[in-house]
Amino acid sequence: MIEMKNVYKKYPNGITAINGLDVRINQGEFVYVVGPSGAGKSTFIKMIYREELPTKGTVKVGEFHLGNLKPRKIPYLRRHVGVVFQDFKLLPRLTVYENVAYAMQVVGKNPKQIQKRTLEVLDLVGLKHKVRMFPNELSGGEQQRVAIARAIANMPRVLIADEPTGNLDPETAWGIMDLLEEINNQGTTIIMATHNAEIVNRVRHRLLAFENGRIARDQERGEYGYEN
Ligand code: ADP
């Protein structure tokens, strides 16, 4: 599903964020990405949805070869890769309903499908009763649920979550975790960068521990290490 071979990423300022990476992630896996700040986690994640391109090496996501993906083809890739951020990134002037529907409008789905799917995903995340509210009327956990609903609206094969629980209290974080588990159980690959040792140690999944732009540890059902 996702394959990186001999990947390097050097930013224009000279910093090498990814320094020789080989990894393969299969469809349906749930993978944690951990490591100290600056280890390259975000850069790794950004290369999966082609926010950043590698300086060297190959990145494949499904049938997409990201190194030579034409810019006009990026929207096609993004239908297969949903992304959720620590700070939610909802559109403040749109309602909950509109935030989710918008993700489908931009890829040209028909209005009937959009309506059906919007209500379906908002039901899945437990927010069908708040469709008319605006992001600033919601709690952090609810905003993250809307962001997740939006990210899965187009039924992506991969859902990337960059510190999705980073701004949430522990109880709310567990709720978000349950939701991600449920989405994973439906077959979506999940890649989640996190600093939350409690979650990583309690809900065991494959773990990629980054250090200095490399994967220092790749474990099935891995544990959060002290070094992370
Ligand atoms: P992490 O997510 O593990 O904190 P990052 O991938 O954000 O790591 O960063 C890895 C290294 O690359 C850091 O030294 C960071 O300062 C640098 N870096 C990240 N993004 C950029 C950028 N857009 N331009 C220049 N340097 C960057």
Side-chain angles (χ1 to χ4, degrees):
M1 174 73 224
I2 295 167
E3 195 177 63
M4 294 199 186
K5 277 190 185 161
N6 196 30
V7 167
Y8 291 78
K9 173 68 185 183
K10 190 174 175 179
Y11 283 109
N13 63 1
I15 290 180
T16 299
I18 295 293
N19 197 9
L21 195 75
D22 288 279
V23 69
R24 200 192 143 99
I25 294 169
N26 292 319
Q27 180 65 40
E29 280 196 88
F30 193 127
V31 182
Y32 292 121
V33 175
V34 305
S37 196
K41 305 179 298 293
S42 296
T43 303
F44 168 69
I45 274 182
K46 285 177 182 167
M47 287 192 297
I48 299 173
Y49 64 98
R50 206 196 174 281
E51 181 70 20
E52 292 291 349
L53 276 170
T55 323
K56 197 180 144 195
T58 57
V59 178
K60 247 177 89 179
V61 176
E63 65 272 27
F64 297 93
H65 289 262
L66 303 203
N68 43 32
L69 189 70
K70 299 214 166 65
R72 67 185 164 83
K73 295 271 164 125
I74 293 175
Y76 294 96
L77 168 77
R78 302 263 169 95
R79 288 182 205 187
H80 296 290
V81 185
V83 190
V84 176
F85 304 94
Q86 179 173 4
D87 59 354
F88 326 128
K89 297 200 194 298
L90 297 173
L91 297 167
R93 290 176 198 281
L94 300 186
T95 63
V96 165
Y97 181 95
E98 290 163 348
N99 262 281
V100 176
Y102 182 70
M104 287 175 276
Q105 283 156 3
V106 295
V107 302
K109 284 235 169 78
N110 79 52
K112 256 214 143 76
Q113 274 178 312
I114 293 175
Q115 190 186 34
K116 181 166 175 277
R117 181 68 181 155
T118 300
L119 295 174
E120 189 176 283
V121 286
L122 284 171
D123 194 25
L124 175 76
V125 303
L127 285 176
K128 212 174 171 178
H129 58 298
K130 298 207 168 166
V131 287
R132 289 175 207 279
M133 291 198 174
F134 287 89
N136 67 4
E137 298 176 286
L138 303 176
S139 70
E142 288 171 336
Q143 289 184 56
Q144 192 58 296
R145 284 172 185 275
V146 177
I148 291 171
R150 178 179 63 179
I152 62 169
N154 290 315
M155 299 189 181
R157 282 181 286 170
V158 186
L159 177 62
I160 290 175
D162 198 354
E163 295 234 29
T165 63
N167 281 340
L168 306 175
D169 63 76
E171 199 182 312
T172 309
W174 282 113
I176 293 297
M177 201 51 208
D178 288 343
L179 183 57
L180 294 177
E181 286 281 306
E182 192 178 333
I183 292 165
N184 179 239
N185 287 335
Q186 292 175 4
T188 308
T189 307
I190 300 209
I191 300 173
M192 169 172 160
T194 183
H195 283 113
N196 193 321
E198 217 187 317
I199 286 179
V200 169
N201 290 343
R202 213 177 328 154
V203 187
R204 291 291 175 91
H205 289 294
R206 182 176 174 190
L207 178 136
L208 304 177
F210 277 70
E211 259 174 51
N212 301 320
R214 283 207 180 90
I215 295 174
R217 191 152 58 92
D218 179 355
Q219 281 181 314
E220 281 308 315
R221 305 179 63 73
E223 238 186 291
Y224 202 93
Y226 292 103
E227 75 274 22
N228 305 319

